[in-house]
Amino acid sequence: MKMIKNPFVRKKETPSYLTENVSEDLIRLENLVKIYDTGAIKVLGLKKINLTIKRGEFVAIMGQSGSGKSTLMNILGCLDRPSLGHYYLDGVDTAELTPNELSDIRNRKIGFVFQSFNLISRTSALKNVEIPMIYAHRPKKERRERALQLLEKVGLGKRFEHMPNELSGGQRQRVAIARALANEPPLILADEPTGNLDTASSIEIMEIFSELHREGATVVVVTHEEDIAAFTHRIIRFQDGKVISDEPNPNPTVTGHENHMEGLYRARENGKEN
Amino acid sequence: MLFENMSMAFHAIKANKMRAFLTMLGIIIGIGSVISIVSIGDTLRSMFTDIYKDVGLTQAYIGIGYWIEDVHQSDYFNLDDLDRMKEVFGDEIAYIDSGASASSKVQAGRINMDFDFTGIDYNYIDVQPVTILSGRYLNEGDILGRKKNVVIEEESAVKLFGTADAVGKTFRTTIYGYTDEYNIVGVYRKEMSPFMKLMMGGSSDRGTALIPYTILTWPNDYFYYCHVFAKEGIDLQNFFDRLTAYIAKIKGRQPEDYSQTTAISEMGSVDSVMGGISAAVGGIAAISLLVGGIGIMNIMLVSVTERTREIGIRKALGARTRDVLIQFLTESALMSACGGALGVALAVSLVSLGGMAFGIPVVIKPSVVILAVSFSAVVGIFFGLYPASKAAKADPIEALRYE
């Protein structure tokens, strides 16, 4: 039983699907097909997608609703499995994994940022950031320290005890980003991260992603807004379950300077405290 | 992880205090009644045990069966029979006499009073200890010489003579038709357990005194019973059976013809009656626990549905099936165990209050309390299993979409 084991003496071998990989391609889709079986009719959600995203890329996946981008998002996030074809994440074929193994993959390799934030209510920002680390069985002290660091990084160092309903939308999304970074996943996957935010907060959030990208993270943003996609360095467009274009973005939006974020937050925090 | 689950469960319960309390009510009442009943039973049992200890737990009366129609004088006992028994069973018999007692009117000066006389041998004090306040106990000479000497109980002396210092005083009484003058040679006090006092119900207006049993075997030296105290630590039933068989043998009878009245069997019947009552009420309490458990299952199902989205989030963030299962099981077990603990508190306060009202020291066994709380946690786990597995099996995509 997991619950009676002491996490400090836990010495479990890392399963092969979780080992660090050094392949250049973080994401590789090969002839990926997703079929929705609704009983009477079968709907093709994704039609033979071939796609590669390298480590360190900052990518936008665009498309109207019904274009298949949400389906792709679910598969990329290992919440769902492809019907046919292969999805290699960090060199591991996810089609062969069990639901519990997929849970581990989501835990260690993917950092989710959702449109509706998806923080757990009545649970402090700090506890929310700790959740992925709890499921990774990291020691309590380490969890707390890292969660505080991450909240500091997204400019919420002083608000770690706040409940989600005491935070603004932009702040909630920043908590979500801190949570996504908790287990140092190789992939940050954001599904319409600015969909519920005003323009100013949207820009803030995208600046954080840009910053993470500069630090070397692989960031995939699913969106239908052009000016959000404009922050990224590569834009992949979807329509009817197929890729219709895949182009680099030569002039990604850049606001402010290197230390813009810190300055901006400090100013804001000070302003709010007064 | 265990600690995390406990704290999550605690917060989830705290978030819905009223609902959790109402849900726990079934368990509170169930556990409360189980503990109350068991404690009342244990208290009564300890009362009876104490009373039988006061009376003498190793004693038995053996006599010719009341169902025997052709009873001859030879079926009765005489002093020689007692001596033979003492010889044969010397290692096992602590004390033996004729078990005779008499009640009669006593007159001292102008005071008249009803008295109960217990006929004893000089070593009765070994099996029924009393404190001699003044004078002495009956001695071998009193017994063998059938002396008209008595040892009187303290309160009876006060009532009869107006003082406990009654040694040397006399009274007149009629025993078996012979009126005589009796000398007080000693005054004793019998220490009694609080239960015994309670059973005796305050002070009676009858007096008690001990007299040589040889007076009560008068005039023909035959008596119905032999009254025996076995030594401590022997197999009582086995001993009484062998003694009865021996008596039957010397009387030329079958062992079945003699009746045996033992303190242990009397106590056993009291025990079994109380055991029966406890079992019946325990059964009813178990039903209320079952209902309480169903209440917990119901509220856990509601809770799982309400928190579908949370389950989706947790799964997306890497919770395995078992993590979610244990989270919800911990919650239902904690809720149920809290109910159990509150039930224990309720029962303990009720039983203690009752005990205080009647002036009885109550018996609440820690083992019963621990068992009850653990059992309520087990109820919580059992009835939480279905809701928790429902939560654990949830599809993360569906769950995340849930509004």
Side-chain angles (χ1 to χ4, degrees):
Chain A
M1 285 287 281
K2 190 184 285 178
M3 55 183 287
I4 55 170
K5 265 192 191 165
N6 183 342
F8 294 99
V9 295
R10 162 180 290 262
K11 195 132 192 179
K12 199 174 159 188
E13 268 184 51
T14 314
S16 62
Y17 61 87
L18 285 181
T19 47
E20 284 297 317
N21 213 296
V22 285
S23 70
E24 202 191 341
D25 299 341
L26 182 62
I27 291 173
R28 198 167 83 240
L29 306 181
E30 284 178 3
N31 297 324
L32 191 88
V33 175
K34 181 68 189 179
I35 302 163
Y36 286 109
D37 194 345
T38 56
I41 44 163
K42 288 184 168 68
V43 181
L44 267 181
L46 295 172
K47 302 166 185 168
K48 278 204 166 186
I49 308 284
N50 284 288
L51 191 65
T52 305
I53 294 173
K54 292 188 167 55
R55 277 171 204 285
E57 278 197 90
F58 189 11
V59 183
I61 293 175
M62 295 202 67
Q64 297 304 311
S65 57
S67 61
K69 68 180 194 309
S70 292
T71 307
L72 182 69
M73 158 78 198
N74 285 340
I75 290 174
L76 289 182
C78 291
L79 291 163
D80 204 353
R81 278 183 291 189
S83 309
L84 292 168
H86 297 278
Y87 165 30
Y88 295 95
L89 173 62
D90 213 7
V92 175
D93 188 352
T94 60
E96 288 163 10
L97 300 178
T98 66
N100 274 335
E101 288 167 346
L102 288 175
S103 281
D104 288 348
I105 294 270
R106 291 196 294 271
N107 186 238
R108 313 295 163 86
K109 301 214 165 176
I110 302 167
F112 283 102
V113 179
F114 300 94
Q115 176 174 0
S116 48
F117 322 129
N118 279 346
L119 299 181
I120 292 177
S121 53
R122 286 190 293 262
T123 304
S124 69
L126 184 75
K127 273 280 164 197
N128 262 291
V129 177
E130 279 189 39
I131 290 169
M133 295 187 273
I134 292 175
Y135 293 126
H137 302 284
R138 290 168 73 163
K140 193 175 167 62
K141 193 165 167 271
E142 182 191 320
R143 269 186 346 230
R144 190 183 156 84
E145 276 169 11
R146 176 149 177 83
L148 283 171
Q149 266 174 22
L150 288 168
L151 284 169
E152 192 80 38
K153 185 182 169 89
V154 298
L156 289 172
K158 285 178 184 163
R159 300 183 175 268
F160 65 93
E161 278 183 323
H162 285 230
M163 299 292 153
N165 59 355
E166 297 163 349
L167 298 170
S168 71
Q171 288 170 330
R172 287 187 213 182
Q173 197 61 302
R174 281 189 268 150
V175 175
I177 293 173
R179 184 177 67 183
L181 298 173
N183 285 333
E184 293 122 344
L187 174 64
I188 308 291
L189 196 55
D191 184 13
E192 302 275 11
T194 59
N196 286 6
L197 299 177
D198 58 35
T199 312
S201 301
S202 298
I203 292 170
E204 267 174 44
I205 295 302
M206 289 315 291
E207 277 166 353
I208 297 177
F209 285 131
S210 300
E211 174 68 23
L212 291 173
H213 167 243
R214 272 195 293 278
E215 289 170 4
T218 313
V219 182
V220 175
V221 178
V222 177
T223 183
H224 64 274
E225 291 174 82
E226 290 292 345
D227 42 357
I228 293 302
F231 279 84
T232 67
H233 294 226
R234 176 182 170 193
I235 300 173
I236 302 167
R237 290 174 201 277
F238 264 74
Q239 203 177 326
D240 299 329
K242 280 190 283 197
V243 177
I244 53 166
S245 77
D246 182 352
E247 291 160 342
N249 179 12
N251 296 309
T253 309
V254 179
T255 56
H257 48 85
E258 289 291 316
N259 285 328
H260 169 86
M261 274 162 56
E262 275 175 38
L264 182 74
Y265 297 135
R266 200 171 296 123
R268 282 193 154 213
E269 296 293 312
N270 290 341
K272 273 181 187 157
E273 266 161 37
N274 292 338
Chain B
M1 202 67 203
L2 177 66
F3 176 77
E4 287 306 324
N5 277 310
M6 291 298 271
S7 110
M8 275 194 286
F10 180 72
H11 279 100
I13 291 169
K14 221 176 79 179
N16 277 306
K17 279 191 231 53
M18 191 60 189
R19 187 168 90 179
F21 175 73
L22 290 175
T23 307
M24 284 175 198
L25 213 51
I27 302 287
I28 295 175
I29 293 170
I31 292 290
S33 42
V34 168
I35 304 243
S36 303
I37 294 305
V38 172
S39 296
I40 290 170
D42 284 343
T43 303
L44 286 178
R45 195 162 300 161
S46 90
M47 263 173 73
F48 279 102
T49 309
D50 273 21
I51 287 167
Y52 275 99
K53 256 187 208 142
D54 283 350
V55 173
L57 203 52
T58 64
Q59 66 179 314
Y61 286 86
I62 299 168
I64 187 73
Y66 56 85
W67 57 87
I68 303 295
E69 282 169 8
D70 55 330
V71 181
H72 308 288
Q73 195 177 40
S74 64
D75 294 328
Y76 299 141
F77 299 94
N78 58 38
L79 296 175
D80 290 341
D81 293 335
L82 296 188
D83 286 339
R84 276 154 87 185
M85 283 182 232
K86 266 191 252 181
E87 235 166 73
V88 175
F89 295 98
D91 292 342
E92 289 157 306
I93 292 177
Y95 173 85
I96 192 161
D97 69 22
S98 66
S101 58
S103 297
S104 70
K105 277 228 175 336
V106 160
Q107 192 211 336
R110 290 154 68 182
I111 309 268
N112 275 299
M113 217 176 140
D114 283 320
F115 254 73
D116 295 320
F117 296 101
T118 308
I120 61 155
D121 205 344
Y122 67 93
N123 57 348
Y124 191 60
I125 194 165
D126 298 341
V127 289
Q128 288 282 285
V130 293
T131 314
I132 300 295
L133 298 175
S134 58
R136 60 170 177 86
Y137 204 66
L138 296 179
N139 61 28
E140 209 169 352
D142 295 326
I143 311 299
L144 295 177
R146 302 190 182 197
K147 303 255 179 69
K148 304 275 187 290
N149 288 343
V150 302
V151 185
I152 191 168
E153 190 267 327
E154 183 188 12
E155 281 179 39
S156 311
V158 171
K159 279 180 198 145
L160 194 59
F161 302 108
T163 169
D165 186 21
V167 176
K169 295 191 192 306
T170 61
F171 60 72
R172 283 181 75 79
T173 191
T174 308
I175 289 174
Y176 295 166
Y178 294 82
T179 305
D180 265 309
E181 197 83 13
Y182 285 80
N183 306 307
I184 313 279
V185 296
V187 180
Y188 74 89
R189 177 191 295 158
K190 172 93 175 135
E191 303 295 343
M192 278 191 291
S193 70
F195 298 129
M196 191 74 180
K197 275 188 193 136
L198 196 77
M199 290 287 285
M200 297 300 223
S203 55
S204 109
D205 49 0
R206 297 178 73 86
T208 46
L210 306 172
I211 60 172
Y213 78 102
T214 44
I215 292 177
L216 296 179
T217 59
W218 192 258
N220 55 10
D221 269 346
Y222 274 98
F223 39 92
Y224 295 103
Y225 293 110
C226 96
H227 175 213
V228 60
F229 279 79
K231 284 197 171 140
E232 303 269 348
I234 64 166
D235 181 347
L236 292 173
Q237 196 53 53
N238 174 286
F239 165 65
F240 293 139
D241 287 344
R242 280 186 291 115
L243 185 63
T244 308
Y246 175 77
I247 289 167
K249 202 180 91 189
I250 61 175
K251 296 291 178 190
R253 284 270 185 189
Q254 296 302 312
E256 303 87 80
D257 294 346
Y258 277 84
S259 94
Q260 210 189 72
T261 311
T262 64
I264 43 167
S265 71
E266 299 262 300
M267 204 171 108
S269 64
V270 170
D271 248 21
S272 71
V273 167
M274 277 190 311
I277 295 170
S278 293
V281 184
I284 296 167
I287 292 171
S288 83
L289 268 185
L290 180 77
V291 175
I294 293 168
I296 285 187
M297 174 145 79
N298 187 27
I299 220 69
M300 287 308 295
L301 282 172
V302 171
S303 176
V304 165
T305 309
E306 276 178 354
R307 284 150 71 193
T308 303
R309 201 180 173 85
E310 179 191 325
I311 296 163
I313 298 169
R314 288 185 182 278
K315 285 206 145 184
L317 296 181
R320 282 169 157 247
T321 310
R322 197 169 54 184
D323 294 326
V324 179
L325 186 81
I326 290 174
Q327 181 191 342
F328 282 91
L329 276 187
T330 309
E331 194 174 317
S332 65
L334 185 69
M335 184 146 62
S336 187
C338 280
L342 287 175
V344 168
L346 182 77
V348 168
S349 40
L350 278 182
V351 172
S352 309
L353 274 178
M356 272 191 322
F358 289 105
I360 309 167
V362 280
V363 181
I364 297 165
K365 289 188 187 146
S367 59
V368 173
V369 171
I370 293 165
L371 198 73
V373 175
S374 337
F375 183 70
S376 61
V378 170
V379 167
I381 290 172
F382 180 78
F383 286 99
L385 217 49
Y386 172 66
S389 74
K390 208 180 148 198
K393 279 190 215 134
D395 173 39
I397 300 174
E398 291 290 322
L400 276 172
R401 228 178 266 153
Y402 188 87
E403 290 297 330

